[in-house]
Amino acid sequence: MKIERIEAIPYSIPYTHPLKFASGEVHDAEHVLLRIHTDDGLVGIADTPPRPYTYGETQASIVAVVRDLFAPQLTGLDPLDREKAQRVMGRTVHNDTAKGAVDIALWDLIGKSLGVPVHKLLGGYADGMRVSHMLGFRPAHELLEEAQRFREQYGVTTFKLKTGRRPLGLDVEAVRVLREGLGDDVEIYLDANRGWTANEAMEVLRRTEGMGLTALEEPCDASEALSRRRLVQHSTIPIVGDESVPTPGDVSRELLSGGCNAICIKTARSGFTKAGEILGLCTGLGVDVTMGNQIDTQIGSLATVTFGAAHEASQRRAGELSNFLDMSDDLLAEPLEIRDGVIRVREVPGVGAEIDEGKLARYRQDS
């Protein structure tokens, strides 16, 4: 089995409403569908989310790096030779989500060629993941209404609140309203997307003490080394690295320097191979991980479930898996379902992401 050609297809699907957070705002899912074709007719599939305000990648840059650099160098390679593929892509710096998509598509091919679900190849620990739902920038009463709806309709009992606003009282009030409205049995944690300074984050933690928060993700820019280290040392809840830790090397640096004491893994930027390396670092050091969401489509969310459910350590916490519900449509032929607060893996060879060709034709932007 050899790689015959690689497609990088730009497409755009509108969100049902603008998604706002401290580091950016999106109105459409302008993603790239990656398909790796082999000489025996198999196709590996992955989805790539451009996030220029986080990683510097755009839809055009992803298409260009796959088409002009990765495809010529990977054509002819056996998909089973994943380390060779990593070496080839490693010659190009950054471009993490493009590399991650290639890796996921290779794993998809490997699973299909062996007739085995990829979650089994990765570890096979569980058959699904509990879902955490992300709450964006909205008035506190609207956030509560959304959380109550997701609990009642989907059985979700874990919520990630996007924060990082000023004045700080906006987010403190949102936490208070959610906790009072949802009760003590619901998990709530925060993600500031680098929107505060470390000292502002310390003040928010002081003002929300006793409200049962379980973590604070990326409270400030990692370049605030001394103040962020002080925040980590004095916080009673885990400080989670996300944008600051896209690679295993970044994870090592932040953990060893005291810049965070928990890690968010996102398969969209690491693929399965690098995600496994990150998870190994964290389990070896006794550091908790969360499975994050890059405002993923159903294809991307399925990849997260596939990796997260495969390992005990990544399956402990609810994964951020529901952002696809903010999209007006999707390319996945068989939609994902959240039942009793859980998304199940797919017991089929590969990852299980089959594309609706009619929808792809409707939303693609290169034809």
Side-chain angles (χ1 to χ4, degrees):
M1 181 173 61
K2 303 293 182 183
I3 295 174
E4 189 172 69
R5 63 189 176 94
I6 301 178
E7 292 182 285
I9 304 171
Y11 70 93
S12 180
I13 298 176
Y15 290 108
T16 57
H17 59 277
L19 303 181
K20 301 178 181 180
F21 36 93
S23 59
E25 177 179 333
V26 290
H27 297 258
D28 303 277
E30 295 186 336
H31 288 207
V32 178
L33 178 69
L34 190 85
R35 296 201 287 202
I36 301 180
H37 300 259
T38 67
D39 57 358
D40 56 0
L42 295 178
V43 182
I45 295 167
D47 191 64
T48 317
R51 297 291 174 258
Y53 41 81
T54 304
Y55 307 119
E57 293 172 279
T58 66
Q59 190 182 58
S61 76
I62 290 170
V63 171
V65 77
V66 172
R67 181 192 61 209
D68 300 336
L69 292 179
F70 296 163
Q73 297 176 80
L74 295 174
T75 298
L77 189 72
D78 186 334
L80 285 163
D81 295 336
R82 293 182 297 102
E83 283 299 306
K84 290 182 181 178
Q86 290 289 330
R87 178 70 174 175
V88 166
M89 293 189 291
R91 297 173 189 150
T92 301
V93 299
H94 306 306
N95 294 280
D96 293 318
T97 63
K99 294 174 182 176
V102 170
D103 184 70
I104 291 170
L106 289 175
W107 274 100
D108 191 33
L109 281 172
I110 292 168
K112 288 174 177 175
S113 69
L114 299 176
V116 179
V118 170
H119 77 91
K120 293 286 190 183
L121 295 175
L122 291 171
Y125 180 75
D127 65 357
M129 285 198 76
R130 290 183 298 116
V131 174
S132 169
H133 179 63
M134 185 183 79
L135 300 168
F137 284 0
R138 289 186 181 181
H141 72 278
E142 293 183 13
L143 294 173
L144 177 58
E145 290 172 359
E146 182 178 351
Q148 290 172 327
R149 177 170 61 85
F150 268 77
R151 181 168 60 177
E152 294 168 4
Q153 185 172 350
Y154 299 106
V156 173
T157 57
T158 301
F159 296 93
K160 173 179 182 173
L161 176 62
K162 287 291 188 179
T163 57
R165 294 179 290 179
R166 295 183 179 92
L168 304 181
L170 289 171
D171 291 328
V172 173
E173 175 67 5
V175 173
R176 185 190 64 78
V177 169
L178 286 171
R179 177 55 70 207
E180 291 180 356
L182 297 173
D184 294 334
D185 294 335
V186 166
E187 180 181 353
I188 302 171
Y189 60 108
L190 309 183
D191 179 8
N193 289 115
R194 315 183 310 278
W196 293 321
T197 66
N199 288 333
E200 285 175 323
M202 185 83 77
E203 174 63 13
V204 170
L205 290 182
R206 185 189 69 80
R207 293 167 64 178
T208 56
E209 189 174 359
M211 295 185 188
L213 297 176
T214 59
L216 170 57
E217 184 177 306
E218 214 65 87
C220 60
D221 196 285
S223 62
E224 288 190 57
L226 290 178
S227 293
R228 180 153 158 157
R229 189 182 309 165
R230 174 174 163 267
L231 171 65
V232 173
Q233 291 171 344
H234 288 85
S235 175
T236 59
I237 60 176
I239 303 300
V240 185
D242 178 13
E243 295 98 313
S244 59
V245 290
T247 70
D250 296 319
V251 170
S252 298
R253 182 201 65 234
E254 286 302 299
L255 290 176
L256 295 176
S257 69
C260 63
N261 52 12
I263 296 295
C264 178
I265 298 175
K266 291 180 176 175
T267 56
R269 67 179 177 219
S270 62
F272 295 154
T273 299
K274 295 296 184 184
E277 294 176 9
I278 292 170
L279 183 62
L281 276 170
C282 293
T283 54
L285 292 170
V287 171
D288 282 357
V289 302
T290 64
M291 294 303 301
N293 194 299
Q294 203 58 66
I295 318 181
D296 291 313
T297 62
Q298 293 189 38
I299 302 168
S301 298
L302 181 57
T304 303
V305 174
T306 297
F307 181 89
H311 309 278
E312 190 274 335
S314 55
Q315 194 264 348
R316 289 176 201 160
R317 290 176 175 265
E320 296 159 14
L321 301 167
S322 62
N323 276 131
F324 67 85
L325 295 172
D326 292 318
M327 296 180 61
S328 61
D329 205 350
D330 203 275
L331 299 184
L332 202 62
E334 182 184 345
L336 293 182
E337 292 185 348
I338 303 174
R339 293 184 178 178
D340 299 322
V342 173
I343 294 180
R344 305 290 177 187
V345 297
R346 295 202 160 163
E347 299 291 351
V348 298
V351 175
E354 298 303 324
I355 302 302
D356 184 318
E357 295 297 334
K359 290 184 178 181
L360 177 59
R362 183 187 316 159
Y363 295 118
R364 67 187 298 165
Q365 297 177 300
D366 60 347
S367 60

